[in-house]
Amino acid sequence: MTTIELLPIQDVTACCSPVTTAAMDQASAEVLAKSLKAIADPARLRLISMVAAHDGAEACVCDLQEPLGLSQPTVSHHLKVLVDAGILHREKRGTWAYFSLVPGALDTLAGLITAPTK
């Protein structure tokens, strides 16, 4: 039988400083809001994870519809929102569209949340 030792619970708010040091300006808030709206949908979050987990970190639109359980127009709409937000890249190959994560897009999104503004 394996024994697991639990770490003591600590109040991290008592010792840690806030992640930002300045209020966000209007332009940064608008960029961040657009990106957060793009990922604030369960289907879109699943699409991001499906693309990232697919072979070569890219997926054909034809491979995304069935596992998601949504119609082709709905999947295409969600993918367009993610492309417009700069999270996914779309590449047309013949009659099919392939999607991949924009390098650094999710890191940039996380940075907008945690980095102080200038």
Side-chain angles (χ1 to χ4, degrees):
M1 176 183 275
T2 305
T3 304
I4 299 174
E5 182 180 336
L6 300 175
L7 298 174
I9 297 174
Q10 296 178 350
D11 180 9
V12 295
T13 60
C15 67
C16 301
S17 61
V19 293
T20 60
T21 58
M24 186 179 292
D25 62 35
Q26 181 67 28
S28 296
E30 289 174 7
V31 169
L32 181 58
K34 180 180 178 184
S35 296
L36 291 175
K37 284 179 187 178
I39 65 169
D41 181 280
R44 293 184 199 138
L45 287 172
R46 289 191 64 209
L47 282 168
I48 292 168
S49 70
M50 289 164 57
V51 168
H54 208 268
D55 291 337
E58 70 173 8
C60 176
V61 67
C62 61
D63 296 326
L64 300 172
Q65 181 182 337
E66 186 179 329
L68 204 55
L70 298 173
S71 68
Q72 182 274 323
T74 302
V75 172
S76 292
H77 165 74
H78 287 307
L79 289 167
K80 181 182 183 323
V81 170
L82 291 168
V83 168
D84 290 347
I87 296 167
L88 291 182
H89 169 75
R90 180 182 185 269
E91 181 182 338
K92 184 90 167 158
R93 296 182 195 162
T95 59
W96 296 107
Y98 285 78
F99 294 86
S100 58
L101 286 174
V102 171
L106 296 178
D107 293 333
T108 300
L109 181 58
L112 285 172
I113 296 169
T114 60
T117 58
K118 293 180 180 180

